[in-house]
């Protein structure tokens, strides 16, 4: 029954999650691929029905894994969504979805799977974002959710120090995944129910943001997966691994004076010069 190199990956059915599952499998790990819907990674990967926003689903998944292995080498909290747009225009249910998946979801997964991690002398690897350390305009909901994950990660690291369980934060840069396309589609759908006069107030903001985002060249998901696996395999993993431009956004910008930092962020998304 014992499989000391068993790992769980949430949000496994796209982008970073899929790449991470594949790389871990090739590295010889027994991989539980958490997925909300149908998924097929081949016979060597154990697909695990798992909706991180549903505590009952998380508890059922943990019970199944506990019946198959004695412990986990790692839990990788990768599942996430992006809710974008001005705070004034984001509906309450979209705010709840953002926090339920990105913040409360990892908390639920950790709570249910921690006994297996402790039994396997394993580790927790949380996939965050540099927006958790530097809030971005028009990404306030995402920033809030990732800031919550950031704080939770830092607190958990101290709480689990008694068992020498590493708690790692991964900060990907802009990555070539469908999450941004889905975020745009969700934002457009949410706008259909917003007040037309309020939407009109932000037309310049939204156009500038879309233009700015089009200038970014996303990096390959494989690079992020490689960093995650490095954190999983390291004998003494670092507390944080930043990828690509996340090294600048999350590492350098927080150290700048607030006024300068805000000017840089507003310029980056094209908001400078927009009047009310």
């Amino acid at each position: 029954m014992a499989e000391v190199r068993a790992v769980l990956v949430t949000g496994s059915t796209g982008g970073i999650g899929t790449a991470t599952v594949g790389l871990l499998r090739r590295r010889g790990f027994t991989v539980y691929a958490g997925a909300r819907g149908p998924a097929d990674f081949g016979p060597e990967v154990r697909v695990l029905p798992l909706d991180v926003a549903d505590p009952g689903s998380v508890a059922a998944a943990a019970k199944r894994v506990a019946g198959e292995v004695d412990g986990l080498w790692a839990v990788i909290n990768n599942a996430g969504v992006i809710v974008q747009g001005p705070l004034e225009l984001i509906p309450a249910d979209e705010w709840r979805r953002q926090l339920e998946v990105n913040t409360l979801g990892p908390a639920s997964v950790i709570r249910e799977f921690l006994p297996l991690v402790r039994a396997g002398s394993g580790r927790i690897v949380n996939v965050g974002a540099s927006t958790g350390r530097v809030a971005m305009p028009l990404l306030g909901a995402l920033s809030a959710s990732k800031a919550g994950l950031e704080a939770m990660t830092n607190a958990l690291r101290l709480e689990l120090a008694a068992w020498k369980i590493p708690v790692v934060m991964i900060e990907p840069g802009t990555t070539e995944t469908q999450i941004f396309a889905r975020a745009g589609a969700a934002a457009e759908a949410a706008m259909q129910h917003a007040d037309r006069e309020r939407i009109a107030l932000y037309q310049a903001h939204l156009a500038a943001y879309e233009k700015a985002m089009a200038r970014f060249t996303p990096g390959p998901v494989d690079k992020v997966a490689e960093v995650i696996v490095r954190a999983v395999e390291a004998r003494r993993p670092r507390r944080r691994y930043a990828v690509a431009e996340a090294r600048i956004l999350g590492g350098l910008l927080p150290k700048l004076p607030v006024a300068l930092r805000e000017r840089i962020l507003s310029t980056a998304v094209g908001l400078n010069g927009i009047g009310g």
Side-chain angles (χ1 to χ4, degrees):
M1 181 174 172
E3 296 193 52
V4 296
R5 285 171 65 86
V7 299
L8 167 69
V9 181
T10 71
S12 65
T13 55
I16 294 170
T18 298
T20 301
V21 168
L23 185 53
L24 285 167
R25 179 187 58 77
R26 293 192 296 274
R27 297 289 293 177
F29 287 90
T30 295
V31 183
Y32 285 92
R36 286 202 310 160
D40 184 7
F41 293 95
E44 295 179 339
V45 173
R46 304 182 184 185
V47 176
L48 182 70
L50 175 59
D51 180 353
V52 301
D54 179 353
S57 172
V58 178
K63 184 176 180 180
R64 173 186 154 180
V65 175
E68 297 179 2
V69 298
D70 290 332
L72 284 174
W73 183 276
V75 164
I76 302 166
N77 278 306
N78 168 72
V81 297
I82 295 176
V83 172
Q84 62 187 30
L87 187 151
E88 187 176 2
L89 302 182
I90 297 175
D93 57 350
E94 282 293 277
W95 266 100
R96 281 191 289 271
R97 183 172 72 93
Q98 179 75 97
L99 295 171
E100 284 172 354
V101 176
N102 288 14
T103 314
L104 301 179
S108 181
V109 170
I110 291 167
R111 182 171 58 249
E112 296 294 342
F113 283 88
L114 194 51
L116 283 166
V117 173
R118 187 179 283 111
S121 299
R123 62 198 59 190
I124 305 292
V125 179
N126 293 331
V127 179
S130 51
T131 49
R133 292 197 283 169
V134 178
M136 291 286 290
L138 279 77
L139 289 174
L142 173 66
S143 298
S145 71
K146 292 300 187 179
L149 181 62
E150 175 83 21
M152 182 174 69
T153 300
N154 292 336
L156 186 67
R157 186 180 299 116
L158 301 179
E159 293 172 5
L160 300 184
W163 296 276
K164 296 182 171 58
I165 296 175
V167 181
V168 178
M169 176 65 81
I170 307 291
E171 284 185 14
T174 306
T175 310
E176 191 174 359
T177 76
Q178 288 298 309
I179 192 171
F180 298 102
R182 289 195 295 268
E188 288 184 15
M191 292 293 179
Q192 300 302 314
H193 305 286
D195 183 273
R196 295 292 102 186
E197 292 184 1
R198 292 196 185 195
I199 293 176
L201 294 172
Y202 289 99
Q203 286 302 324
H205 295 71
L206 295 169
Y209 176 78
E210 185 176 350
K211 183 178 179 180
M213 292 302 101
R215 293 197 300 266
F216 280 93
T217 302
V221 294
D222 291 344
K223 295 296 183 183
V224 182
E226 289 169 4
V227 173
I228 293 173
V229 174
R230 190 186 313 158
V232 169
E233 292 186 322
R235 189 168 67 89
R236 292 183 179 178
R238 301 202 300 263
R239 292 175 177 83
R240 183 185 307 276
Y241 295 80
V243 185
E245 78 273 6
R247 299 187 187 100
I248 297 174
L249 186 58
L252 176 61
L253 288 186
K255 300 175 183 177
L256 297 178
V258 175
L260 175 58
R261 181 171 71 240
E262 290 181 346
R263 188 159 63 249
I264 291 172
L265 292 173
S266 291
T267 300
V269 297
L271 300 188
N272 272 353
I274 295 179

